Amino acid sequence: RTRYIHTPRYKAERAARRALSGRYRNRSTNDPSIAGISLNTGNTTPLLFNGRLLCLKEDSPPMAVDPHTLETIGEWDFRGQMKAKTFTAHPKLDLATGELIAFSYEARGDATDDIAVFIFDRRGRLKREWWFKSPVISMMHDMAVTDRHIILPTTGMTTSRERLDAGLIHWTYDRTMPCHVAILPRDGKGDVRWFHGTPEQAMLLHTTNARTEG
C-alpha cells in the first residue's frame, strides 16, 4: 500500500488546493494562513520502532504512522520525553541492545546552535540525554555510532537568522567553514569532545559504519 502522511502542512494545502509554503525551510516566506503550524513533511526516512512506523524529516519531530493501516497518528515526542523541536532523519538502531540513538540540530528552533542527543531503550523510554552547543550552525544530516561512542559531524551547509529574515532558503554552502566532529561516550561517563578540522570542507552527509578501537 501507499498513503500520504497527513501532516498539518499536507492537510492545510489540500484544503486550500494550492501551495502555502514558500522558500525551503523559511517560515517567514510562508502564506500567513499556515503561520504557527508544523511544517513537517515526514518524507525522508521510515523507521519501525516500538510498534510505530516513524516517518522522519530532520527539521521536525517524527511523524508516527500505524504500521498496519498506514493511517497517520501525528507528531511523536516519545510520550513527552523529547523536548527538542527537531529530530534527525537518520537515527541508529543498535540491534544488540534494542536502543535507538538519535540527535537534533537546531534543537531549540531555526538558526539556533543547540544540539540534543538521545538514547531510548527498546520500549521507547528515554535512557540518556545530552544538550550542548555547536561551534557552527550547520546541517548535520547523519551520525555514526559504535558500541561505545556517538559521532556527530557538521557540514558546510550553514544558515543564520539574518539569512532567514532576508527571505532566502534555509541553507547556503560555505566552503571556508571548517568541519567539526563531536564524540560522546554512550555510557554518559564523560563529556562531549569536539575535534576541529581544516577550512577545506568535507561534505559528510551519510555514514556507513564506525567502530571504536582501543
Side-chain angles (χ1 to χ4, degrees):
R1 301 190 190 106
T2 62
R3 293 286 187 277
Y4 284 108
I5 301 171
H6 286 220
T7 66
R9 173 176 171 172
Y10 167 84
K11 290 190 284 189
E13 293 193 330
R14 188 178 186 188
R17 300 188 63 78
R18 65 185 180 91
L20 299 173
S21 55
R23 294 289 184 92
Y24 179 69
R25 284 174 65 173
N26 190 337
R27 301 169 200 275
S28 67
T29 65
N30 292 344
D31 189 279
S33 66
I34 60 170
I37 77 164
S38 171
L39 301 182
N40 200 337
T41 55
N43 67 339
T44 305
T45 306
L47 172 75
L48 194 62
F49 178 67
N50 192 33
R52 288 175 178 81
L53 181 61
L54 301 180
C55 298
L56 307 174
K57 170 70 172 175
E58 66 195 52
D59 61 359
S60 305
M63 287 295 302
V65 173
D66 185 295
H68 304 289
T69 67
L70 301 186
E71 295 300 314
T72 301
I73 299 170
E75 286 191 332
W76 185 249
D77 61 3
F78 296 87
R79 301 190 185 278
Q81 299 176 97
M82 191 190 82
K83 305 302 181 184
K85 295 185 177 182
T86 63
F87 192 86
T88 179
H90 294 299
K92 307 300 178 190
L93 273 174
D94 185 327
L95 300 183
T97 66
E99 292 173 332
L100 178 69
I101 300 126
F103 74 98
S104 306
Y105 71 85
E106 291 182 290
R108 297 192 193 277
D110 294 342
T112 60
D113 59 359
D114 301 281
I115 298 175
V117 180
F118 316 95
I119 298 179
F120 296 94
D121 69 16
R122 65 175 68 249
R123 295 180 179 85
R125 296 176 299 199
L126 184 62
K127 182 177 179 180
R128 195 163 291 119
E129 178 181 27
W130 297 260
W131 283 79
F132 53 95
K133 296 288 188 178
S134 173
V136 294
I137 301 174
S138 85
M139 182 178 75
M140 300 173 66
H141 187 65
D142 201 354
M143 64 189 300
V145 298
T146 76
D147 59 335
R148 291 167 50 195
H149 294 100
I150 301 168
I151 303 101
L152 301 170
T154 67
T155 70
M157 299 293 285
T158 187
T159 192
S160 65
R161 175 46 56 190
E162 292 75 20
R163 180 175 180 80
L164 299 179
D165 290 345
L168 301 173
I169 65 170
H170 198 93
W171 299 116
T172 186
Y173 182 70
D174 182 356
R175 68 177 61 251
T176 68
M177 190 168 74
C179 182
H180 308 269
V181 180
I183 299 183
L184 297 81
R186 278 178 57 173
D187 62 8
K189 297 177 181 178
D191 297 325
V192 57
R193 293 183 64 191
W194 282 101
F195 294 83
H196 307 285
T198 64
E200 291 77 31
Q201 177 59 237
M203 192 62 180
L204 199 160
L205 279 182
H206 293 112
T207 63
T208 302
N209 199 6
R211 64 183 182 270
T212 297
E213 293 183 353

